[in-house]
């Protein structure tokens, strides 16, 4: 298909498609003439992925590049692809995390039983950063409460991972992983907000 | 305490404190002389709240204003305060949501049993927006899967609401609600990302 048809079937403007081509986020089409290229289903799928990421997750262009690089590296295992996708979407912090908070983050990961998380995963520092804010409010949860919360999060993550269909090509799997990470993350937060409104009424509406 | 001490004990710069005072986000202190005001614990707590919101949640100034207005309206019930806080942090979308997606959003809220969610809660349109992206990928979950996911989210929200201590003044409750919404939202996403890395290794690392 032509670039104009590609734009039409994906809802991404021709200007944005040209930008993605320049940035290497979209592989070039097959040249027909000097000024004309043909695009196929692979381009449609990649564009839909990029569009969803920008709409739902506000992933910066650098993050998108990291993601595309992983998808195109045939040597990487699916799990490596997933780890790199996580890092692309949640890049390392510029400042080092507070050491006490980082220690707490590592303890939480251990208590949750997430033994497969890389020791240098940027997510550990990000977790430490949020914990530092919570600790700044002087809040500490008792071990039982923490345990229950970790178990719920674990169930959510295992459930979402289960949706990924392993019997498909790498681009399609990456698409599903990214949807899982970004779009289901948004879904989770939006559902949770509505659920909280409901439970707040049950708990506080008598006053 | 003086403004410089206020800055020191909250970690918010004097320039930012002056900005919050100008914007009405922080009530003025008690005038001692023409150029000197005294601040108290109420200011410390409000500043810690504003700081956490900015650090963890990137809430725009307009959202912060809505939140402060609710906290200072003694007529509002705790549940109304909570609803307004939700709206301030997730303001209505500028475009109307896709009608089909909005219908699906309403059905999900109904199926989850969240009968206390206002019919005009902006969160419904926000949910519809995310659902539209997911539907754009052609993904549809079977009813059993949806049911289980909704139940997990419901458990998380009920659990987080349970942390709010109802036996405290309105400012302190608002602080807890906002921490619950924004900071625990960040906590949830960060923990979930680490949990997914773990489960991805278990599922895909054999390749």
């Amino acid at each position: 298909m032509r670039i104009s048809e590609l734009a039409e079937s994906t809802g991404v403007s021709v200007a944005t498609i040209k930008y993605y081509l320049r940035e290497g986020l979209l592989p070039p089409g097959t040249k027909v003439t000097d000024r004309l290229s043909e695009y196929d289903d692979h381009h449609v799928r990649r564009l839909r992925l990029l569009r969803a990421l920008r709409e739902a997750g506000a992933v910066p262009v650098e993050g998108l590049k990291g993601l595309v690089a992983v998808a195109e590296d045939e040597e990487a295992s699916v799990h490596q692809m997933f780890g790199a996708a996580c890092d692309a979407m949640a890049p390392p912090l510029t400042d080092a995390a507070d050491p006490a908070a980082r220690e707490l983050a590592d303890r939480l990961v251990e208590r949750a039983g997430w033994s497969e998380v890389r020791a240098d995963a940027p997510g550990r520092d990000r977790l430490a950063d949020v914990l530092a804010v919570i600790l700044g409010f002087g809040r500490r949860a008792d071990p039982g409460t923490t345990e229950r919360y970790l178990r719920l999060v674990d169930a959510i993550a295992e459930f979402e991972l289960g949706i990924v269909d392993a019997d498909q090509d790498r681009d399609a799997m990456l698409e599903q992983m990214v949807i899982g990470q970004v779009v289901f993350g948004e879904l989770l937060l939006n559902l949770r907000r509505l659920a909280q409104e409901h439970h707040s009424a049950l708990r506080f509406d008598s006053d």
Side-chain angles (χ1 to χ4, degrees), chain A residues 17-199:
Chain A
I17 293 174
K18 286 183 175 170
Y19 171 71
Y20 287 158
L21 287 165
R22 273 200 309 276
E23 292 287 330
L25 290 168
L26 194 67
T30 313
K31 262 202 171 4
V32 180
T33 72
D34 232 24
R35 300 180 54 84
L36 215 64
S37 294
E38 271 289 321
Y39 301 89
D40 58 25
D41 277 357
H42 177 70
H43 294 94
V44 172
R45 215 160 48 199
R46 174 68 57 82
L47 273 176
R48 278 170 50 195
L49 176 65
L50 292 171
R51 188 182 163 204
L53 279 167
R54 291 204 38 175
E55 278 185 358
V59 177
V61 171
E62 282 313 308
L64 297 178
K65 282 186 185 175
L67 215 58
V68 165
V70 173
E72 286 170 0
D73 174 9
E74 302 282 339
E75 298 283 293
S77 77
V78 171
H79 172 57
Q80 283 172 328
M81 190 161 92
F82 186 79
C86 284
D87 299 352
M89 286 178 284
L93 300 167
T94 42
D95 297 337
D98 171 66
R102 170 59 197 254
E103 214 188 292
L104 180 58
D106 289 336
R107 270 213 307 280
L108 281 182
V109 170
E110 203 186 316
R111 263 177 57 194
W114 298 330
S115 52
E116 300 293 334
V117 174
R118 293 158 296 162
D120 62 348
R124 289 175 182 263
D125 272 343
R126 293 192 154 258
L127 175 59
D129 237 38
V130 180
L131 291 172
V133 173
I134 294 173
L135 292 177
F137 282 98
R139 297 195 60 73
R140 281 195 174 274
D142 63 281
T145 303
T146 307
E147 205 72 39
R148 242 189 87 204
Y149 194 72
L150 289 174
R151 232 164 317 153
L152 284 170
V153 176
D154 187 70
I156 290 249
E158 186 176 5
F159 180 81
E160 288 176 338
L161 246 286
I163 297 173
V164 176
D165 173 12
D167 297 323
Q168 49 186 351
D169 68 44
R170 297 168 64 85
D171 240 37
M173 281 191 75
L174 188 69
E175 183 180 303
Q176 282 204 332
M177 285 171 174
V178 162
I179 297 175
Q181 268 285 318
V182 180
V183 190
F184 276 80
E186 286 292 312
L187 179 68
L188 178 59
L189 288 187
N190 277 291
L191 285 172
R192 167 179 166 273
R193 201 177 288 124
L194 292 165
Q196 286 187 337
E197 180 171 339
H198 173 72
H199 285 291

